[in-house]
Amino acid sequence: MNTENQSKGDLTRTNILTEAYHLFLRQGYHGTSMRQIAEGAGIALGAIYNHFPGKEALFKAVFLANHPYQEMLPAVLAAKGDDPESLVRDMARRMVDSLAQRPSFLNLMFIELVEFNSIHSVELYESILPQVIDRIDQMISSAKERIRPISPIILTRAFIGLFFSYYLTGQILQPGSHSPANRQMRSQLESMNAFVNIFLYGILKE
């Protein structure tokens, strides 16, 4: 986090968020106490409550501060392509590049899923989804003769679902993890293209 030109209060809040982030990743949500966070941030326990009413509110702030939507949403909105194929491929590439900037996010996401049943994610997606749907709707409108009549909402959900399935299975299965870096990069690019092809054309031959 950028700490330049921050007031003392803002700097304290940033320190709290940073310490909480590292502790949540290392110890989990229930394994981390507010006292530990305060000690790590170099403040009294009572002072932490000047910034956050409780641990859940603090986790939500950490989750949002480290969520890749801050890069992914502008990336999706800025995607370019002269046809549906090139646009979707550019969207996918930009999303993968954005998520790669926050490699520890999945750890926070698992805490969010297990401990909070995704309530903070729902709030976030409800606020940003309309912008993504608008972008998908533009793609549909520009290529009506080529795209089957599918709801923009369903198409958006399918794209997001396919993207996360690509990323999650890549993290879990780690194909080629012991291969040279250039071979790994080539394998990841081929995998992403394959996932995009499935999204665009399905798996059945005509």
Side-chain angles (χ1 to χ4, degrees), residues 82-84 139-149:
D82 296 328
D83 50 62
M139 179 186 74
I140 294 173
S141 299
S142 66
K144 283 184 177 179
E145 70 283 356
R146 297 195 58 200
I147 299 177
R148 290 189 291 126

Side-chain angles (χ1 to χ4, degrees), residues 86-165:
S86 57
L87 179 61
V88 169
R89 292 186 196 284
D90 193 39
M91 280 185 180
R93 179 187 61 78
R94 289 169 182 262
M95 289 178 71
V96 169
D97 290 346
S98 299
L99 194 54
Q101 298 177 37
R102 298 177 182 266
S104 299
F105 171 68
L106 284 179
N107 299 62
L108 287 179
M109 192 68 212
F110 285 130
I111 295 175
E112 162 75 355
L113 287 168
V114 173
E115 304 295 345
F116 299 103
N117 199 27
S118 300
I119 58 173
H120 308 119
S121 296
V122 171
E123 292 178 20
L124 173 61
Y125 294 140
E126 284 179 348
S127 68
I128 66 175
L129 204 56
Q131 299 178 67
V132 180
I133 291 173
D134 284 346
R135 189 71 183 93
I136 296 293
D137 198 24
Q138 291 171 19
M139 179 186 74
I140 294 173
S141 299
S142 66
K144 283 184 177 179
E145 70 283 356
R146 297 195 58 200
I147 299 177
R148 290 189 291 126
I150 302 173
S151 161
I153 297 176
I154 298 300
L155 205 56
T156 300
R157 286 179 57 188
F159 177 72
I160 292 174
L162 182 124
F163 165 74
F164 276 106
S165 68

